[in-house]
Amino acid sequence: MTYRRHYVRDALAACATVLLVAASSVAAAAVPAAAGTGLKKVHDPGHVTGTIHGHCSYRDQGQLPDPRCTPGSIDPDVTQADIRSTICMKGWTSTVRPPESQTERFKYDVAYPAYRTPGSERTELDHLVPLELGGSNDATNLWPEYPPTPNPKDKVEDALNAAVCEGRVSLTAAQDAIAADWLTAEKNLGLGGGAGGRPWCTASASYNAGYRDYDIYVHSNEPDRTVTATASNGASHSYRTDSTGYADVYLYAASGDTVKVTVGTASCSTAA
């Protein structure tokens, strides 16, 4: 029986060397940060701007980006004084969101190499500070997130937008809180909530031609738990998540099989 060593993505990927190039030829208008927030200010509506330099690592079981690579940034044109005509106006985010052609190019050509994410992985290119809180489209605000479905960060974003528009929280406070840690943003702003405690997992499959099987990459908030991957052809294999909630389970699935994953009390699925 062939022995295959399981590995943690970040430990393996640390050996890689990545040379990154600019993701876009669009020039961004950078503005020095004003009092109230230390976030970089970039006015770039409708365009992805900037790039990422160096190696990046996920934090908190893959739920948070690297603060060196993705500290968050905001659009200086969105201020507390004009929230009624910007983030609080229905449909406004669609006027500043970049086209998919730009976000997909940035995701695969820049963000994936920077975060050492395999091209086969399924992620969501996330605005750390969301557009609905005045986030920019700059590289400092974009990262490949591994969200469960539905994405719990979306609810946090909606809750903070509502709090700002209802006058319960200032715009800068909401921006700073979600840039620092979206998992604790509501709690730290006195709004209650906190999405990090609910069990979740995400799974993706990558065919390994050398072993003629699939690597099932599992990310979860269930560390040190048994994780079992079961294909629709009946094949099943178990392993254990590490201290970050990550596991690589190899499985002799067939192409097109649905692979169901259980880890602790969380469940998710992917297609082989």
Side-chain angles (χ1 to χ4, degrees):
M1 178 177 180
T2 302
Y3 172 73
R4 298 181 60 206
R5 181 161 55 90
H6 289 264
Y7 58 87
V8 180
R9 178 190 311 283
D10 290 342
L12 177 65
C15 299
T17 300
V18 182
L19 177 64
L20 297 173
V21 296
S24 174
S25 60
V26 179
V31 183
T37 179
L39 296 173
K40 178 182 178 181
K41 296 190 175 185
V42 185
H43 181 59
D44 53 4
H47 300 287
V48 174
T49 55
T51 190
I52 304 175
H53 297 284
H55 299 311
C56 311
S57 300
Y58 293 99
R59 294 183 297 137
D60 204 328
Q61 305 161 13
Q63 298 175 98
L64 299 175
D66 191 322
R68 299 167 303 166
C69 302
T70 317
S73 55
I74 56 177
D75 186 340
D77 275 16
V78 180
T79 67
Q80 186 71 46
D82 67 10
I83 59 174
R84 298 300 165 196
S85 60
T86 54
I87 64 169
C88 299
M89 185 171 67
K90 185 177 180 180
W92 177 81
T93 57
S94 65
T95 68
V96 296
R97 189 180 302 279
E100 185 177 355
S101 59
Q102 290 188 28
T103 55
E104 288 295 283
R105 184 164 61 249
F106 178 88
K107 175 179 174 179
Y108 290 108
D109 294 350
V110 178
Y112 269 31
Y115 276 89
R116 293 161 292 181
T117 304
S120 59
E121 291 280 35
R122 298 175 184 176
T123 68
E124 173 184 319
L125 187 66
D126 180 69
H127 287 77
L128 182 60
V129 179
L131 296 178
E132 63 185 294
L133 287 175
S136 81
N137 296 308
D138 188 66
T140 52
N141 198 44
L142 298 172
W143 67 295
E145 181 191 17
Y146 283 96
T149 301
N151 187 351
K153 184 171 182 285
D154 291 342
K155 292 185 177 180
V156 176
E157 295 172 356
D158 292 344
L160 266 58
N161 172 270
V164 171
C165 293
E166 292 168 5
R168 291 181 285 128
V169 172
S170 72
L171 175 63
T172 55
Q175 292 171 334
D176 286 341
I178 201 165
D181 187 340
W182 69 265
L183 295 166
T184 61
E186 289 179 273
K187 180 179 179 181
N188 290 342
L189 291 169
L191 302 173
R198 294 190 295 271
W200 62 264
C201 72
T202 62
S204 61
S206 178
Y207 184 68
N208 189 312
Y211 292 98
R212 297 182 180 179
D213 64 4
Y214 281 85
D215 286 283
I216 309 300
Y217 301 114
V218 180
H219 293 263
S220 74
N221 63 346
E222 298 285 275
D224 302 313
R225 298 291 187 92
T226 298
V227 53
T228 301
T230 303
S232 52
N233 69 354
S236 183
H237 192 78
S238 296
Y239 197 60
R240 197 166 183 85
T241 56
D242 63 17
S243 61
T244 72
Y246 172 77
D248 173 11
V249 184
Y250 57 91
L251 185 67
Y252 289 98
S255 177
D257 276 353
T258 297
V259 179
K260 295 183 178 180
V261 174
T262 59
V263 50
T265 57
S267 61
C268 48
S269 64
T270 186

